[in-house]
């Protein structure tokens, strides 16, 4: 027992106070670290009630972090979440005052059109629609000093003209709504919270949901507010299923490399093993590939053999400025996660076996 105690004390001595300190170190170099001690937010409950797909919620927030690196250097700031826009600021489900509610006399801050307002989708008129689904907030701090804010406006990509007719919102109409709403939200936050002065830059990004497929949607527009009016830009972000006709036309090389990878994995265990993927593109550039290997009723040895093959054959993917993540599941339980980061050839492997 004395030896165990001494070893534990030695580990603590070598690690210093890192196990218990308030220092913030990101999981990956180049990513944001959380401000410690971390303060959670009650908005998590609101987000979950508005978008049931956890993977989609993760992509919204992680995508906002990725885009924010253009303006907020991860080496100089850490993040907090929803320091200002808490549950009560957003919520309007019971008819109370809230940003996600409709604009009306008793809710002048509502960012959705009033119940009798007509909205031109570009493909017909929708009356009193819900366009703004949710708002995500990331706050950038250097120590205790606020250095900036990033916001994600999560928007519906389609609306109903009547109970049976659903149409896509055209880009011009969606951009116009985003620009006006972003200006309103930034103005509201500067007036509402003393800490958010005109010198605090605010970055607003518009995420458009894709309700017509199994994909997440993507960011389509951004606005940067640094004192006065915002400057706006279009971005082209989308998720693509692999294999699919879409990936064949967008990136034939990726489609071919995935087919080769899939064949190598399935060759190990041919029965009841399935390999699929989703890829995130910004324009024509692939930024992230999420590969899922689904197996059923496999033994420990079989799962390990599959993991070994999955890791070794990631070298088949030649695009280097892209992050690859492989998740291996057996009967819906995750047992192995493999990741190859951008511009690296080595892989990180985590196994619960």
């Amino acid at each position: 027992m004395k030896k165990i105690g001494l070893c534990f004390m030695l580990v603590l001595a070598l690690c210093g106070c890192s196990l218990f300190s308030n220092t913030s170190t990101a999981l990956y170099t180049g990513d944001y670290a959380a401000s410690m001690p971390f303060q959670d937010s009650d908005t998590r409950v609101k987000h979950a009630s508005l978008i049931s797909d956890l993977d989609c919620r993760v992509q919204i927030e992680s995508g906002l972090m990725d885009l924010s690196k253009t303006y907020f250097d991860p080496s100089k700031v850490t993040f907090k979440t929803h320091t200002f826009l808490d549950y009560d600021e957003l919520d309007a489900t019971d008819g109370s005052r809230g940003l996600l509610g409709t604009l009306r006399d008793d809710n002048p801050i509502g960012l959705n059109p009033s119940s009798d307002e007509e909205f031109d989708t570009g493909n017909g008129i929708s009356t009193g629609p819900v366009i703004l689904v949710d708002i995500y907030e990331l706050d950038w701090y250097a120590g205790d000093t606020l250095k900036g804010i990033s916001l994600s406006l999560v928007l519906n990509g389609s609306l109903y003209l009547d109970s049976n007719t659903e149409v896509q919102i055209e880009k011009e109409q969606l951009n116009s709504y985003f620009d006006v709403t972003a200006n309103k939200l930034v103005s509201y936050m500067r007036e509402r919270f003393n800490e958010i002065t005109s010198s605090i830059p605010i970055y607003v990004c518009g995420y458009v949901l894709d309700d017509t497929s199994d994909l997440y949607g993507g960011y389509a527009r951004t606005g940067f507010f640094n004192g006065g009016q915002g400057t706006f830009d279009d971005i082209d972000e989308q998720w693509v299923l692999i294999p699919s006709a879409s990936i064949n036309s967008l990136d034939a090389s990726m489609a071919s490399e995935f087919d080769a990878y899939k064949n190598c994995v399935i060759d190990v265990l041919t029965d009841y093993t399935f390999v699929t993927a989703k890829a995130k593109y910004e324009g024509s550039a692939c930024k992230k590939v999420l590969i899922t290997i689904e197996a059923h009723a496999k033994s420990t040895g079989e799962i390990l053999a599959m993991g070994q093959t999955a890791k070794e054959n990631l070298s088949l993917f030649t695009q280097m400025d892209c992050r690859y993540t492989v998740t291996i599941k057996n009967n819906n339980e995750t047992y192995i996660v493999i990741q190859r980061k951008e511009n690296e050839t080595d892989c990180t492997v985590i196994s619960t076996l």
Side-chain angles (χ1 to χ4, degrees), residues 76-109:
K76 296 180 180 178
V77 296
T78 58
F79 73 87
K80 297 181 181 181
T81 63
H82 284 281
T83 303
F84 305 100
L85 301 182
D86 59 13
Y87 187 103
D88 290 336
E89 288 283 342
L90 297 179
D91 187 55
T93 53
D94 61 354
S96 61
R97 175 187 173 103
L99 291 166
L100 296 178
T102 58
L103 178 65
R104 55 187 189 275
D105 289 342
D106 58 349
N107 188 32
I109 67 170

Side-chain angles (χ1 to χ4, degrees), residues 56-317:
C56 183
R57 300 199 303 270
V58 168
Q59 295 307 324
I60 291 170
E61 196 164 12
S62 64
L64 182 59
M65 286 188 174
D66 289 339
L67 290 171
S68 296
K69 292 175 183 178
T70 302
Y71 295 100
F72 307 107
D73 188 343
S75 68
K76 296 180 180 178
V77 296
T78 58
F79 73 87
K80 297 181 181 181
T81 63
H82 284 281
T83 303
F84 305 100
L85 301 182
D86 59 13
Y87 187 103
D88 290 336
E89 288 283 342
L90 297 179
D91 187 55
T93 53
D94 61 354
S96 61
R97 175 187 173 103
L99 291 166
L100 296 178
T102 58
L103 178 65
R104 55 187 189 275
D105 289 342
D106 58 349
N107 188 32
I109 67 170
L111 296 177
N112 274 301
S114 61
S115 58
D116 59 353
E117 183 178 345
E118 293 184 341
F119 179 80
D120 182 6
T121 67
N123 291 304
I125 301 298
S126 178
T127 303
V130 174
I131 305 172
L132 178 63
V133 178
D134 203 355
I135 301 173
Y136 283 72
E137 175 194 343
L138 295 171
D139 310 295
W140 311 111
Y141 280 85
D144 295 326
T145 303
L146 179 66
K147 292 296 185 180
I149 299 171
S150 291
L151 301 168
S152 174
L153 303 185
V154 183
L155 310 174
N156 273 319
S158 61
L159 294 173
Y160 280 93
L161 305 183
D162 53 51
S163 58
N164 297 315
T165 306
E166 184 178 12
V167 298
Q168 295 293 308
I169 306 175
E170 292 296 326
K171 185 177 181 64
E172 181 180 353
Q173 282 74 17
L174 203 56
N175 284 354
S176 178
Y177 171 83
F178 171 81
D179 293 358
V180 171
T181 304
N183 271 297
K184 286 182 178 179
L185 180 56
V186 170
S187 296
Y188 170 76
M189 293 183 72
R190 294 200 192 282
E191 294 171 2
R192 172 76 172 83
F193 304 103
N194 292 333
E195 192 176 355
I196 309 177
T197 65
S198 60
S199 64
I200 300 298
I202 301 178
Y203 185 46
V204 188
C205 302
Y207 189 98
V208 182
L209 295 171
D210 184 352
D211 297 327
T212 62
S213 72
D214 294 328
L215 299 174
Y216 306 123
Y219 281 101
R221 187 136 172 106
T222 66
F224 186 65
F225 297 78
N226 195 7
Q229 292 293 309
T231 56
F232 295 93
D233 290 296
D234 287 339
I235 56 176
D236 180 16
E237 180 182 291
Q238 62 175 316
W239 284 87
V240 183
L241 289 174
I242 311 176
S244 69
S246 296
I247 193 65
N248 291 340
S249 59
L250 178 64
D251 192 343
S253 176
M254 177 63 72
S256 176
E257 290 169 359
F258 175 80
D259 284 341
Y261 182 81
K262 174 182 177 181
N263 291 335
C264 290
V265 172
I266 291 180
D267 279 347
V268 179
L269 300 171
T270 58
D271 59 322
Y272 302 107
T273 302
F274 308 94
V275 186
T276 58
K278 295 177 180 180
K280 176 183 175 181
Y281 280 82
E282 294 177 9
S284 61
C286 186
K287 295 298 183 180
K288 186 182 296 184
V289 179
L290 306 179
I291 301 171
T292 302
I293 300 174
E294 294 271 4
H296 297 275
K298 303 300 188 241
S299 67
T300 297
E302 289 171 327
I303 292 297
L304 287 172
M306 185 181 296
Q308 180 177 327
T309 301
K311 175 188 175 185
E312 291 174 351
N313 286 282
L314 274 177
S315 59
L316 291 170
F317 293 102

